[in-house]
Amino acid sequence: MICDTESRGYKRNPAELQLNATEGFIPLWSEGSILRWRFQEQSLSNFESPNEVKAKIEELFALALEAWGDAVPVSFTRDDDAWDFQIVVQEVERCNAARACVLASAFFPDAGRHDLVIYPTLFKQDLSEQIETIAHELGHVFGLRHWFAPQSEPDYPAEPFGSQDRRSIMNYGPDSQLTEKDKQDLKDLYSRARSGKLKEINGTAIRLVTPFHTLRELANSVIFK
């Protein structure tokens, strides 16, 4: 699996669950956050059966969310108007000279609008790899960096949290597995951050953020008061 959310290479060394801190703080979703999403219809227009592609992607997302179980810190709902992210399906593969191909890319928590991109190579993988890829991308959406971020991406700060285990859904290759430790660490992180018991990690502040649509609704309420 290759993910393009952080396309800066890697090497595998033991590390903990890594949190995004590239903006000088650790962004996590506030309690009760609902991420509204849509398909970018234009990206599907060149497929023979766009509805079949949509159904396949929705199935993969449902299975990936089921795999994360009760560790999932946000809810998702489809909304073609007031959306926070859109699923873009690329028609052309993105591979390097060694034929290592990007399968997908996502985003980290913040109040902006984003794309979650899926490349056609994903659909050539077996079902378990497809589910693991989407589960990996959801890890980024939840605020997780690549497992190897501290060693290979020093210019893009990350902070460790939780148990040490090279087997993690945020790793690559055979060690990319969604484990009970992944899920428990994510649950503990959000529980402690949202309760106020955890306000910083290694001196880096945690900031709870809300999705784009909430700011839009707030702006509209101010305008119409």
Side-chain angles (χ1 to χ4, degrees):
M1 173 178 68
I2 294 182
C3 158
D4 196 42
T5 305
E6 303 177 80
S7 54
R8 295 182 282 271
Y10 69 97
K11 59 182 180 181
R12 296 186 176 93
N13 290 314
E16 298 165 306
L17 192 67
Q18 303 299 326
L19 306 177
N20 180 47
T22 55
E23 300 299 323
F25 59 89
I26 298 167
L28 298 174
W29 296 112
S30 61
E31 190 163 8
S33 289
I34 300 173
L35 298 185
R36 300 178 180 180
W37 65 275
R38 72 171 187 178
F39 285 108
Q40 187 194 72
E41 296 293 342
Q42 184 178 357
S43 72
L44 293 157
S45 61
N46 292 321
F47 289 88
E48 289 185 7
S49 303
N51 288 335
E52 290 184 12
V53 176
K54 290 179 184 179
K56 175 63 175 178
I57 292 171
E58 289 193 71
E59 177 189 17
L60 290 176
F61 269 82
L63 291 170
L65 287 169
E66 182 181 1
W68 275 105
D70 63 359
V72 175
V74 295
S75 298
F76 294 85
T77 187
R78 186 170 175 179
D79 190 319
D80 290 335
D81 179 31
W83 54 275
D84 303 307
F85 74 93
Q86 58 182 355
I87 297 175
V88 178
V89 186
Q90 296 289 357
E91 184 182 10
V92 179
E93 293 184 335
R94 182 176 174 183
C95 306
N96 61 23
R99 290 300 300 169
C101 299
V102 175
L103 302 185
S105 66
F107 56 93
F108 297 114
D110 71 16
R113 274 182 162 174
H114 297 282
D115 291 345
L116 193 154
V117 182
I118 293 176
Y119 292 86
T121 316
L122 174 68
F123 303 114
K124 297 179 181 179
Q125 314 306 308
D126 61 38
L127 180 60
S128 62
E129 176 73 5
Q130 292 178 39
I131 296 170
E132 287 175 358
T133 298
I134 300 302
H136 176 102
E137 297 308 326
L138 286 172
H140 289 310
V141 174
F142 301 155
L144 307 182
R145 291 280 301 279
H146 285 146
W147 176 84
F148 40 78
Q151 291 77 36
S152 61
E153 300 160 359
D155 293 333
Y156 301 88
E159 294 294 347
F161 179 86
S163 57
Q164 291 189 345
D165 193 335
R166 66 183 298 150
R167 289 181 305 128
S168 170
I169 195 62
M170 302 315 295
N171 203 346
Y172 281 176
D175 288 325
S176 181
Q177 304 173 37
L178 182 56
T179 68
E180 290 303 316
K181 288 182 180 179
D182 282 334
K183 292 187 278 188
Q184 189 59 53
D185 284 347
L186 186 63
K187 287 176 65 176
D188 290 347
L189 171 66
Y190 268 92
S191 175
R192 293 171 62 188
R194 287 171 172 173
S195 69
K197 294 179 180 178
L198 184 67
K199 297 182 179 180
E200 54 87 17
I201 299 175
N202 297 330
T204 302
I206 293 173
R207 184 178 299 176
L208 298 179
V209 300
T210 56
F212 172 84
H213 79 267
T214 61
L215 301 181
R216 173 179 169 177
E217 290 173 352
L218 177 61
N220 288 340
S221 69
V222 171
I223 291 172
F224 290 109
K225 277 186 177 179

